[in-house]
Amino acid sequence: MHGLRVELGDRSYPVLVGREILGDPTAWSSLMTAPQVLVVTNEVVSPLWLEPALAGLGDRQVATLTLPDGERYKTLETLSVVFDTLAEHGFHRDAAILALGGGVVGDLAGFAAACWQRGVDVFQAPTTLLAQVDASVGGKTAVNHPAGKNLIGAFHQPRAVVADVATLATLPDREFRAGLGEVIKYGLGLDAQLFDWLESRLELLVDRDPQVLERAVFWCCSLKAEVVAGDEREAGRRALLNLGHTFGHAIEAATEFSEWLHGEAVGAGLVMACRLAAADGAMSGEDADRVEAMVRAAGLPVAPPPVGSARLRSLMGMDKKVSGGRLRLVVPDGIGSCRVRDDVPGRLLDAVLAEADRDG
Amino acid sequence: MHGLRVELGDRSYPVLVGREILGDPTAWSSLMTAPQVLVVTNEVVSPLWLEPALAGLGDRQVATLTLPDGERYKTLETLSVVFDTLAEHGFHRDAAILALGGGVVGDLAGFAAACWQRGVDVFQAPTTLLAQVDASVGGKTAVNHPAGKNLIGAFHQPRAVVADVATLATLPDREFRAGLGEVIKYGLGLDAQLFDWLESRLELLVDRDPQVLERAVFWCCSLKAEVVAGDEREAGRRALLNLGHTFGHAIEAATEFSEWLHGEAVGAGLVMACRLAAADGAMSGEDADRVEAMVRAAGLPVAPPPVGSARLRSLMGMDKKVSGGRLRLVVPDGIGSCRVRDDVPGRLLDAVLAEADRDG
């Protein structure tokens, strides 16, 4: 087991990464003092991982809420069901919520915890690769609005994150590969050493070798913890974590958030961000090729779906990451480094989108 | 015009108290840089005060949402309407919300601002006495749940509070008097000088003398600002602002939040808290009599409705202010001072409730 700490003053918290730690009562007893816990999970995760989680929680007043599975339930309506459950059990200010599941469960349960009685503790026990390396750390919580994803939410840091890589063994292949999109993002955007390490271990990673998985998840969490500690509310450096996401978001929106998984869209988005960087001279074509090869080897798409470059361009402008009317994009400076830019020439962006459209 | 500052580091903000300042563009232009503003108000306030507010906001993209009036609309459903309106106008992260109305509008619009895109600016322009002296300052925002008031919310400090006492001229008499319950609370709980001043000016205050009103609102806001600056999240001293509120909450709940106004329940709650203090020896009977006389002179009830002391007792235990199963009560130590106590003998509380029941 590896442990690290997200340093945020009196809101600092530990992130534990290990194998078969979810059901370990000694781990939980040191992390959680709450006498009452609501476990929020979904119908897919529940039969697989609820029992170990309950064993880990030991002797407390524990209630469970099992939600339907899927991004389309990440709504105010489902949030309201969480509140009803908390009320029904008479859970007070000293109650806690345990989010057991992927990003949807974590975002929704975390937001419920942010709001219930103006804030109760939340513990994140992510069971997908995407949630383990990204969503569970950093305190971003939200639900979707018909007008856009994550439009309604809060910054609410968890009290602890328990990332058990054993849970990744039961993940469907497509979802596992989608998580690799975010893993590659950390290497490309923040850490050339991680990128090199991933290049040399990608086959083992795709085969879900437990030791390699544990190392990869811990490495990504360490990078995320460092970024979040320096910029909790995304006033600066934290925006770098959106590398590939403005492209990715447009892809998800163009396919109505139902065909592409988030990590798949991020995978293609990373390749497009690299092509843009190469066209701008910020990155070599060879490095862009390395990134594309890795995304491909991870089993992820390297180009957008055939929706037309004009449609993607217009959807990019509707993303949350628009400030003062100017499109802000995270663009690599080479492997292991990236920057937020609002000076990318529109014609370069259009050219990259048009080329990707031909490739797709 | 008087101005003060709530000192909360990078979340510090000004509170302006004055006459006819709502429609003053020079005041607003220095306070608000947002290019897009959603004014949230209600159907009662709108015909009276929306026009001056819009004049004050000057040249921006301004949209208005007029909600139905009343506590029963302070729900997740209404919150959802605010989100829909923000989405419909394409309001981004640099948009702001202006809450124009009483506590319900302020709590709901403030909570919407806390959640929209994980937090946009909110400006409070309170138009009731209760909201001017209490709800608008301090960043508590919330909506109600069928299981209880303010169970779903956030701490989200406003960027500025503009309390225009001119708006109090149009307040129905009963609502104005209810606000005096909170004014008296500040004197009784925190400031003997204020209490003495109120005793000598009560008639002018009840007659809504503008100068006396401005001074009273400013005094209360100053006290609240000091308390909030020292304890934003109610870990300690801020709980003193709940003086009279645990009794008051039980009264409101016993009458299904439809018969008594919040400030009326607080008025009776203050008297009951004093009777408890007197029974416990923490306060003299003479001082308790002074408080009762002031509450009575403000036109507020001094005893609970005839619902039975057992019912009140049981409802007090269901209030949010229960920690670890023990009932915590704010009890005066005399005029101008109070303390949070969890050691009040149950038999004293029962005796005070039984006596109040006979008086009521």
Side-chain angles (χ1 to χ4, degrees):
Chain A
M1 188 170 75
H2 294 74
L4 63 95
R5 221 174 132 74
V6 183
E7 297 292 349
L8 286 165
D10 58 1
R11 279 164 295 116
S12 298
Y13 55 94
V15 177
L16 304 184
V17 180
R19 283 169 269 163
E20 296 182 3
I21 56 175
L22 182 61
D24 180 357
T26 56
W28 286 107
S29 68
S30 65
L31 295 172
M32 193 195 279
T33 55
Q36 304 173 314
V37 187
L38 177 65
V39 180
V40 178
T41 186
N42 73 29
E43 61 198 3
V44 174
V45 174
S46 172
L48 300 167
W49 297 106
L50 181 59
E51 206 179 294
L54 294 178
L57 292 176
D59 270 347
R60 302 168 207 260
Q61 185 193 343
V62 180
T64 302
L65 173 62
T66 303
L67 301 173
D69 178 43
E71 180 86 27
R72 70 178 179 285
Y73 297 103
K74 206 175 101 173
T75 60
L76 278 179
E77 288 69 38
T78 311
L79 189 73
S80 176
V81 174
V82 182
F83 295 140
D84 293 346
T85 309
L86 288 161
E88 185 190 310
H89 291 279
F91 279 8
H92 291 301
R93 285 183 185 174
D94 49 5
I97 293 181
L98 172 64
L100 176 70
V104 170
V105 165
D107 281 5
L108 185 109
F111 187 40
C115 300
W116 185 245
Q117 311 237 13
R118 296 199 187 92
V120 298
D121 288 349
V122 65
F123 294 78
Q124 296 283 354
T127 60
T128 66
L129 181 56
L130 192 104
Q132 289 189 355
V133 298
D134 193 32
S136 64
V137 177
K140 278 194 182 177
T141 71
V143 295
N144 300 329
H145 184 274
K149 280 178 76 172
N150 298 327
L151 285 182
I152 304 164
F155 286 91
H156 187 60
Q157 299 295 340
R159 280 286 159 197
V161 178
V162 175
D164 187 341
V165 296
T167 62
L168 304 183
T170 54
L171 209 55
D173 195 55
R174 189 177 164 198
E175 239 186 290
F176 178 78
R177 287 170 184 271
L180 293 175
E182 295 283 355
V183 173
I184 296 169
K185 178 194 78 176
Y186 284 101
L188 168 61
L190 299 175
D191 190 337
Q193 244 188 307
L194 171 59
F195 193 89
D196 293 346
W197 182 83
L198 288 171
E199 255 181 348
S200 70
R201 305 281 195 301
L202 202 70
E203 213 170 315
L204 287 168
L205 195 57
V206 169
D207 287 346
R208 307 191 203 183
D209 176 282
Q211 227 168 326
V212 172
L213 261 182
E214 186 174 340
R215 178 104 173 93
V217 170
F218 183 73
W219 201 329
C220 294
C221 285
S222 304
L223 288 166
K224 175 128 191 198
E226 191 199 312
V227 170
V228 168
D231 177 25
E232 184 181 9
R233 297 234 162 195
E234 199 168 312
R237 194 169 150 76
R238 186 164 180 174
L240 300 184
L241 298 175
N242 295 323
L243 176 59
H245 281 61
T246 302
F247 291 101
H249 180 89
I251 292 175
E252 286 181 271
T255 52
E256 269 136 33
F257 297 98
S258 59
E259 289 172 42
W260 286 53
L261 295 178
H262 175 70
E264 292 172 336
V266 168
L270 292 176
V271 175
M272 291 160 84
C274 289
R275 291 297 165 211
L276 184 66
D280 191 52
M283 185 181 202
S284 72
E286 292 71 33
D287 279 347
D289 289 344
R290 279 175 74 195
V291 174
E292 178 167 334
M294 190 185 287
V295 171
R296 199 185 297 276
L300 295 171
V302 296
V307 294
S309 61
R311 174 122 176 83
L312 285 183
R313 179 74 177 79
S314 118
L315 285 165
M316 288 177 76
M318 290 172 65
D319 190 43
K320 279 203 303 303
K321 292 149 205 90
V322 172
S323 174
R326 297 197 75 168
L327 183 60
R328 300 170 78 224
L329 275 176
V330 188
V331 184
D333 278 334
I335 282 172
S337 166
C338 61
R339 273 190 302 144
V340 176
R341 293 178 52 181
D342 61 3
D343 63 347
V344 176
R347 56 173 179 81
L348 276 193
L349 180 57
D350 290 338
V352 166
L353 288 170
E355 196 195 313
D357 192 34
R358 278 192 299 277
D359 295 348
Chain B
M1 188 170 76
H2 293 75
L4 62 95
R5 220 174 132 75
V6 183
E7 296 292 351
L8 285 166
D10 58 0
R11 280 165 294 115
S12 298
Y13 55 95
V15 178
L16 305 184
V17 180
R19 282 169 268 165
E20 298 182 1
I21 55 176
L22 181 63
D24 180 358
T26 56
W28 285 108
S29 67
S30 65
L31 295 172
M32 193 194 277
T33 55
Q36 305 173 313
V37 187
L38 176 66
V39 180
V40 178
T41 186
N42 73 30
E43 62 198 1
V44 173
V45 174
S46 172
L48 299 166
W49 297 105
L50 181 59
E51 206 180 294
L54 293 179
L57 292 176
D59 270 348
R60 302 167 206 261
Q61 185 193 345
V62 179
T64 302
L65 174 63
T66 303
L67 302 173
D69 178 44
E71 180 85 30
R72 72 177 179 284
Y73 297 103
K74 206 175 100 174
T75 60
L76 278 179
E77 288 71 38
T78 311
L79 189 72
S80 177
V81 174
V82 182
F83 295 140
D84 293 345
T85 309
L86 288 161
E88 185 190 309
H89 292 279
F91 279 9
H92 290 301
R93 283 184 185 173
D94 49 5
I97 293 181
L98 172 65
L100 176 70
V104 170
V105 165
D107 282 5
L108 185 109
F111 186 40
C115 300
W116 184 245
Q117 310 238 14
R118 297 200 187 93
V120 297
D121 288 349
V122 65
F123 293 79
Q124 297 282 353
T127 60
T128 67
L129 181 56
L130 193 103
Q132 290 190 354
V133 299
D134 194 32
S136 64
V137 177
K140 277 193 184 178
T141 72
V143 296
N144 300 328
H145 183 274
K149 280 178 76 171
N150 298 328
L151 286 182
I152 303 163
F155 286 91
H156 187 60
Q157 299 295 340
R159 281 285 158 197
V161 178
V162 175
D164 187 340
V165 297
T167 62
L168 304 183
T170 54
L171 208 57
D173 196 54
R174 190 177 162 197
E175 240 188 288
F176 178 80
R177 288 170 182 271
L180 293 176
E182 295 283 355
V183 173
I184 296 168
K185 178 194 79 177
Y186 284 101
L188 169 61
L190 299 174
D191 190 337
Q193 245 187 303
L194 172 59
F195 193 89
D196 292 346
W197 182 83
L198 288 170
E199 254 180 348
S200 70
R201 306 279 195 301
L202 203 70
E203 213 169 315
L204 287 168
L205 195 58
V206 170
D207 288 345
R208 309 192 202 181
D209 175 281
Q211 225 168 329
V212 173
L213 262 182
E214 186 175 340
R215 178 105 173 92
V217 170
F218 183 73
W219 201 328
C220 293
C221 285
S222 305
L223 289 166
K224 177 131 191 197
E226 191 199 310
V227 170
V228 167
D231 176 27
E232 184 180 9
R233 297 231 162 199
E234 199 167 315
R237 195 169 150 77
R238 186 163 179 174
L240 300 184
L241 298 175
N242 295 322
L243 177 60
H245 281 61
T246 302
F247 290 102
H249 179 91
I251 291 173
E252 286 181 273
T255 53
E256 270 137 31
F257 297 98
S258 60
E259 288 173 42
W260 285 53
L261 296 177
H262 176 69
E264 291 172 337
V266 168
L270 293 176
V271 175
M272 290 160 83
C274 288
R275 291 298 164 210
L276 184 66
D280 190 51
M283 185 183 203
S284 72
E286 292 71 35
D287 280 346
D289 289 344
R290 279 175 74 194
V291 174
E292 178 168 334
M294 189 184 288
V295 171
R296 199 184 297 276
L300 295 170
V302 297
V307 295
S309 60
R311 174 120 176 83
L312 285 183
R313 180 74 178 79
S314 116
L315 286 166
M316 288 176 75
M318 290 171 65
D319 190 43
K320 279 202 304 302
K321 292 149 206 91
V322 172
S323 172
R326 297 196 76 170
L327 183 61
R328 301 170 77 225
L329 275 175
V330 188
V331 184
D333 279 333
I335 281 171
S337 165
C338 61
R339 274 190 300 145
V340 176
R341 292 178 53 180
D342 62 3
D343 64 346
V344 175
R347 55 172 180 81
L348 276 194
L349 179 58
D350 290 338
V352 166
L353 288 169
E355 197 195 311
D357 191 35
R358 277 192 302 277
D359 294 349

